Amino acid sequence: MTLKRFIKPTLLALAAASLAAAAHAAPLKVDAAKSSVGATFKQLNVPVDAKFKKFTATIDFDAAKPAEGKASVDIDITSFDLGEAEYNKEVLKKEWFNAAQFPKASFVASSIKPAAGGKFDVSGKLTIKGKSTDVSFPLTVKKDGATQVFDGVLPIKRLTYNIGEGEWKDTGMVADEVSIKFHIVAQ
């Protein structure tokens, strides 16, 4: 094979690969300072809001091609903040999050589909305390100048993930229903 016959197909293959890579958008850059992930639950029938101070999100999304979108979120369980140091320490124990053994919770989207009212239906795997389940939730995406804002609420049952073992399985003190709320700003 001559050098010329080798170089031409190689250059064509490289050009095709470059075009394919350029056609696929790069992941969005998440603005951590403007983004948040939190949880709301009821204790003695009183709503309690908490937040996760540390998390990372990776989003590759184009509203014109939602099926090609990808998203994942990793949450640092040790950053869970109930607003008081004593409570924060308590929820990291084995009976609750068992942060020593399971320091991270994660969500990985498997499907993003258009839904009514300009929303999207997102499905994927949620893993908390070593237990993975299939979940779905509605997602709102808004354009704000050069940024995109992703908002959603994912309802879960804490006992599905063994959050609250032993005496804490009783839902009379802490309700089973938890809403994970997120607000992600990216560009």
Side-chain angles (χ1 to χ4, degrees):
M1 175 182 261
T2 67
L3 187 58
K4 185 176 181 183
R5 285 178 42 189
F6 172 76
I7 291 176
K8 188 173 182 181
T10 303
L11 289 175
L12 286 173
L14 287 173
S18 295
L19 286 173
H24 191 273
L28 300 171
K29 184 177 180 192
V30 174
D31 185 338
K34 294 181 181 176
S35 300
S36 61
V37 176
T40 300
F41 59 94
K42 288 186 177 181
Q43 184 171 344
L44 295 173
N45 212 26
V46 176
V48 176
D49 291 316
K51 62 183 174 181
F52 293 93
K53 292 181 175 182
K54 296 179 187 173
F55 63 91
T56 58
T58 303
I59 301 171
D60 189 347
F61 181 79
D62 179 347
K65 302 175 195 171
E68 295 176 18
K70 295 180 175 137
S72 65
V73 179
D74 288 324
I75 298 171
D76 179 347
I77 292 298
T78 64
S79 74
F80 192 64
D81 184 13
L82 285 159
E84 188 169 320
E86 183 180 327
Y87 294 147
N88 294 347
K89 185 177 175 183
E90 183 66 29
V91 297
L92 299 181
K93 291 181 178 177
K94 184 180 184 299
E95 296 80 15
W96 292 102
F97 282 116
N98 194 359
Q101 186 174 353
F102 304 104
K104 179 177 86 165
S106 64
F107 171 77
V108 178
S110 58
S111 168
I112 303 172
K113 298 177 183 173
K119 292 187 178 197
F120 298 88
D121 288 328
V122 178
S123 298
K125 289 262 187 222
L126 177 65
T127 303
I128 303 174
K129 205 173 176 181
K131 171 120 180 170
S132 295
T133 62
D134 294 320
V135 296
S136 296
F137 58 91
L139 174 71
T140 302
V141 181
K142 294 180 185 167
K143 197 89 164 123
D144 185 12
T147 64
Q148 292 186 70
V149 179
F150 301 86
D151 285 302
V153 177
L154 170 58
I156 66 166
K157 304 268 188 192
R158 69 177 175 87
L159 294 177
T160 299
Y161 302 93
N162 297 319
I163 300 170
E165 296 180 47
E167 69 179 295
W168 295 109
K169 279 189 176 184
D170 177 10
T171 57
M173 178 72 89
V174 179
D176 194 17
E177 296 77 19
V178 177
S179 294
I180 300 171
K181 299 177 182 183
F182 62 89
H183 175 81
I184 307 292
V185 179
Q187 71 179 50

